Amino acid sequence: MLGLRTGICLPQTILARSTSSSNCQSQYNHPRSMFEKITNLDDALILFDEMTQRQPLSSVLKFNQLLQAVTKMKHFASSIELFKQMNPLCIPFNVYTINIVINCCCKIYRTNEGFALLGYGFKHAIEPNVFTFSTLLNGLILEDKVLIAERFFKKLIKEELCDPNVIMYSTMIKGLCKCGINDKALALLRLMDKKGYKPNVVTYNTIIDSLCKDEIVDDALKLFKHMVFDKNIRPTVVTYNSLIRGLCNLCRWDEASKMLKEMEAEGVFPDVWTFNILVDTLCKEGKVEDAEGVIKLMIQRGKDPDVVTYSSLIDGYCLQGEMRKAREVLDSMEFRGLIPTIVTYSSLLNGYCKKSRIEEAMNLFQEIIKKGLKPNVITYNTMLQGLFLIGRYKDAYKLFSEMRSQNVIPDRCTYTIVLEGLCNNNQVDEALSLFRLMGDNKLNSYINVYIILINGASKSGKLDIARNIFKNLNDKGLEPNVQTYNVMIGVFCREGLMGEAKELFIEMEKRGCSPDSVTYCVILQGFIKKEEHGMIETLLKEMEDKGFSLDASTLSMRCYINYIRKVNYKRRLPGQEETRKAFGYHSDSTIIGSHQFKVSNVITKVSGDGLWLNEAPTEDQNTKRSHFQPPPYHPVADH
DNA sequence: GTAGGGTTAG
């Protein structure tokens, strides 16, 4: 692991420096204006009233400072409200004012109103500048309207509506990263560099972080090196945090540890975020004791653990099933003066639910409400899942109604949980009527919902309904995906309706949805049950041609193995030949998600006696692997 | 002399 129990070895002098600097802070951090002293909204409002009545009237500057102070406290709606009040009082405003208020609109996801303000500004002869446009651009991105943002950005540049700068480009890059278009983000990075808008550390951090999130850490590291060595830009703690998180997520602990040492050697010191990343990933890996060690270390370093730190720890204990300890952590937070958020509580709630300790979950849920916290959609989803899990579907349904009466809008997860919960508890009719009630709801276009219902209906013997749901997909303008086909084919196979299964199997290909290895295995199992050897041979041949391998799912392995076993049994052969036929070109080591395992181990395990298979296939060991590798990226090559 | 961009939690 990270060797954190022994601590990251920081020289004493550095430790001394970091503690003394925090002591000195008050000495150097004198508020620059009286507005920076304002720490609560009430004071700001009182001051605002006073300023509006003052004669002569306070300057625009003063009003702007006040608005900004309110904004800094994240009271965005209040800021907007104050601006609205300024209007009838004929208090003058300028482009700074407009920019502050537009920013507030954007931060509460009301970018449209931000654009309206832009118009309002025009009416008052206030000309927007690059700040105005960057803020609006950011607003669109915050609302996930990246395509519109991109159009807006291009228009600004093309029509030269403002002088773009590094922030504007960086904002656009953030938008591209947000929807996972890393390539385009990188292209824009190169373009801005070429045009002379020098990307800075924030620009690089944005892309580095995005690459790390997409688990393309090697590319992130390349970009990092490019930034440091070719561009001479010093990384900040944010850069290191992104990289460390990326490495930890991939369990590349040694490199993460190295990165920690490297940052310290470079004079960039871990902050609360850095420690939280370590705590969080260690907890997720089940190393809660190590996480506790990190917390001790951070305290030693004068970095106070915060709500996020303890929330991760609670998550860690829940994952281990140590609910008592998880609860203790929560209680200790209040003792330390940290106020747990709804996220903290939801983690604990999730722990109770997963352990089917529903009474404690219910009590905690009540406790949350008593504390004045508002359960969010995640809280409700967690609770619903717990109730369905132990079969209390009536209570779950009641809670589902309650959440809506509390104005918590169910999301995709909620519907999936409720529909699946009802189906699993033999309440398919309820599920179907809820589905009908959903009507034109956006969630109706969520394909998973159909998969659940098709499965549910067929399992409770309502084959016609399952068939109809599938057929109706077209009417809703939905194209079945491979998973939907797999489920429907699976239903037919289960019912022994191999004719219909085969028909659908052919149809999907025709409609441009190629069967995947799951499809093959599902249908293969159907034919194996019917002992239609001709079809089995054909399908196996097709799979071989398509290069489908064992690693797609456990199901697929069972398919092969059952078949081979059968053949072996009938022919009374050691089975080496058949094994090669089935596994021949596949690699020995395969990856499912992030878990790696040896096919040979599994085979020996499944075959049990190991009589006919004790040798792993050897041909083309690495052909399948390359499939899982990220596309190559060489930022340096372009320069 | 006032405004805009980057990192954690199911």
Side-chain angles (χ1 to χ4, degrees), chain A residues 292-428:
Chain A
E292 290 266 24
V294 173
I295 295 177
K296 278 197 191 115
L297 184 69
M298 70 192 282
I299 295 169
Q300 266 176 31
R301 297 278 194 90
K303 300 273 180 279
D304 287 333
D306 62 8
V307 181
V308 178
T309 324
Y310 290 112
S311 298
S312 295
L313 192 61
I314 288 175
D315 241 2
Y317 279 125
C318 286
L319 202 71
Q320 304 269 291
E322 297 197 53
M323 297 309 297
R324 196 177 48 81
K325 283 197 176 168
R327 178 75 223 199
E328 275 170 16
V329 175
L330 181 84
D331 295 334
S332 80
M333 283 174 74
E334 290 181 44
F335 181 70
R336 290 168 213 267
L338 291 169
I339 302 163
T341 64
I342 190 67
V343 179
T344 324
Y345 279 106
S346 296
S347 285
L348 190 61
L349 195 72
N350 187 42
Y352 285 129
C353 287
K354 289 275 145 64
K355 290 229 100 189
S356 298
R357 286 163 68 167
I358 210 71
E359 282 314 316
E360 283 148 295
M362 295 276 251
N363 288 338
L364 187 65
F365 191 76
Q366 291 309 320
E367 197 181 318
I368 292 171
I369 295 165
K370 253 190 229 151
K371 294 251 169 182
L373 282 169
K374 202 173 156 5
N376 61 17
V377 62
I378 295 168
T379 326
Y380 277 105
N381 288 353
T382 308
M383 203 62 218
L384 285 169
Q385 226 165 2
L387 285 166
F388 276 120
L389 186 70
I390 58 149
R392 281 171 61 174
Y393 61 89
K394 281 185 186 159
D395 289 330
Y397 212 74
K398 227 164 77 189
L399 190 71
F400 178 55
S401 313
E402 190 188 305
M403 98 182 251
R404 284 176 296 179
S405 69
Q406 292 290 324
N407 287 326
V408 179
I409 319 253
D411 63 6
R412 280 179 175 196
C413 273
T414 321
Y415 281 104
T416 314
I417 291 164
V418 174
L419 291 174
E420 204 160 29
L422 288 170
C423 288
N424 287 342
N425 284 281
N426 296 319
Q427 303 300 312
V428 177

Side-chain angles (χ1 to χ4, degrees), chain A residues 255 271 310 378 396 410 446:
Chain A
E255 286 161 274
D271 60 3
Y310 290 112
I378 295 168
Y446 184 39

Side-chain angles (χ1 to χ4, degrees), chain A residues 1-2 217-218 221 225 243-244 246-248 250-262:
Chain A
M1 292 304 277
L2 292 160
V217 180
D218 290 325
L221 288 167
K225 289 192 181 117
L243 289 167
I244 290 170
L247 290 167
C248 286
L250 293 177
C251 300
R252 288 162 65 167
W253 305 108
D254 289 346
E255 286 161 274
S257 178
K258 231 171 95 187
M259 191 62 83
L260 266 169
K261 290 194 185 105
E262 189 184 312

Side-chain angles (χ1 to χ4, degrees), chain A residues 187-202:
Chain A
L188 194 56
L189 175 79
R190 283 189 282 261
L191 181 75
M192 70 185 281
D193 205 13
K194 210 172 101 189
K195 282 192 171 183
Y197 303 109
K198 271 183 94 171
N200 58 22
V201 68
V202 176

Side-chain angles (χ1 to χ4, degrees), chain A residues 186-294:
Chain A
L186 284 161
L188 194 56
L189 175 79
R190 283 189 282 261
L191 181 75
M192 70 185 281
D193 205 13
K194 210 172 101 189
K195 282 192 171 183
Y197 303 109
K198 271 183 94 171
N200 58 22
V201 68
V202 176
T203 324
Y204 280 98
N205 285 351
T206 309
I207 310 183
I208 287 173
D209 187 66
S210 175
L211 292 168
C212 286
K213 284 213 174 95
D214 290 343
E215 302 193 337
I216 325 172
V217 180
D218 290 325
D219 284 5
L221 288 167
K222 265 186 215 161
L223 189 60
F224 169 72
K225 289 192 181 117
H226 171 67
M227 172 185 96
V228 178
F229 298 116
D230 302 336
K231 295 289 169 185
N232 266 325
I233 296 172
R234 281 176 62 84
T236 64
V237 67
V238 176
T239 327
Y240 285 110
N241 286 349
S242 289
L243 289 167
I244 290 170
R245 170 163 285 276
L247 290 167
C248 286
N249 278 342
L250 293 177
C251 300
R252 288 162 65 167
W253 305 108
D254 289 346
E255 286 161 274
S257 178
K258 231 171 95 187
M259 191 62 83
L260 266 169
K261 290 194 185 105
E262 189 184 312
M263 70 188 276
E264 288 179 336
E266 292 294 323
V268 180
F269 300 104
D271 60 3
V272 177
W273 284 60
T274 324
F275 287 112
N276 282 352
I277 289 164
L278 300 176
V279 170
D280 189 47
T281 41
L282 286 169
C283 282
K284 287 210 165 67
E285 277 294 304
K287 311 264 179 196
V288 195
E289 281 181 14
D290 286 328
E292 290 266 24
V294 173

Side-chain angles (χ1 to χ4, degrees), chain A residues 345-557:
Chain A
Y345 279 106
S346 296
S347 285
L348 190 61
L349 195 72
N350 187 42
Y352 285 129
C353 287
K354 289 275 145 64
K355 290 229 100 189
S356 298
R357 286 163 68 167
I358 210 71
E359 282 314 316
E360 283 148 295
M362 295 276 251
N363 288 338
L364 187 65
F365 191 76
Q366 291 309 320
E367 197 181 318
I368 292 171
I369 295 165
K370 253 190 229 151
K371 294 251 169 182
L373 282 169
K374 202 173 156 5
N376 61 17
V377 62
I378 295 168
T379 326
Y380 277 105
N381 288 353
T382 308
M383 203 62 218
L384 285 169
Q385 226 165 2
L387 285 166
F388 276 120
L389 186 70
I390 58 149
R392 281 171 61 174
Y393 61 89
K394 281 185 186 159
D395 289 330
Y397 212 74
K398 227 164 77 189
L399 190 71
F400 178 55
S401 313
E402 190 188 305
M403 98 182 251
R404 284 176 296 179
S405 69
Q406 292 290 324
N407 287 326
V408 179
I409 319 253
D411 63 6
R412 280 179 175 196
C413 273
T414 321
Y415 281 104
T416 314
I417 291 164
V418 174
L419 291 174
E420 204 160 29
L422 288 170
C423 288
N424 287 342
N425 284 281
N426 296 319
Q427 303 300 312
V428 177
D429 290 330
E430 276 292 330
L432 288 167
S433 64
L434 170 66
F435 172 66
R436 282 182 209 111
L437 272 175
M438 280 162 65
D440 279 335
N441 194 311
K442 242 191 190 171
L443 296 149
N444 226 312
S445 61
Y446 184 39
I447 201 92
N448 276 13
V449 163
Y450 296 87
I451 295 174
I452 292 165
L453 289 172
I454 292 169
N455 241 333
S458 75
K459 275 186 188 152
S460 61
K462 299 176 197 299
L463 184 64
D464 285 340
I465 293 181
R467 215 186 254 124
N468 271 335
I469 295 171
F470 185 79
K471 277 191 185 143
N472 286 341
L473 279 174
N474 269 336
D475 304 339
K476 308 229 178 190
L478 280 172
E479 196 61 46
N481 60 9
V482 65
Q483 223 189 330
T484 327
Y485 278 111
N486 291 350
V487 169
M488 199 62 227
I489 290 173
V491 169
F492 289 139
C493 290
R494 206 159 51 214
E495 299 291 325
L497 302 167
M498 295 316 292
E500 277 185 85
K502 200 172 150 187
E503 218 171 88
L504 202 55
F505 184 76
I506 294 164
E507 184 193 312
M508 67 188 284
E509 183 86 74
K510 265 193 210 153
R511 289 178 59 170
C513 178
S514 293
D516 61 8
S517 58
V518 178
T519 327
Y520 274 98
C521 288
V522 168
I523 200 161
L524 200 55
Q525 272 199 335
F527 284 117
I528 287 170
K529 257 199 282 181
K530 293 252 169 189
E531 300 202 7
E532 289 195 27
H533 295 297
M535 272 312 290
I536 298 171
E537 293 284 346
T538 315
L539 288 167
L540 277 176
K541 178 80 187 46
E542 270 182 41
M543 287 183 83
E544 197 173 318
D545 292 344
K546 294 196 177 190
F548 286 145
S549 58
L550 259 179
D551 54 83
S553 72
T554 327
L555 182 70
S556 75
M557 281 182 282

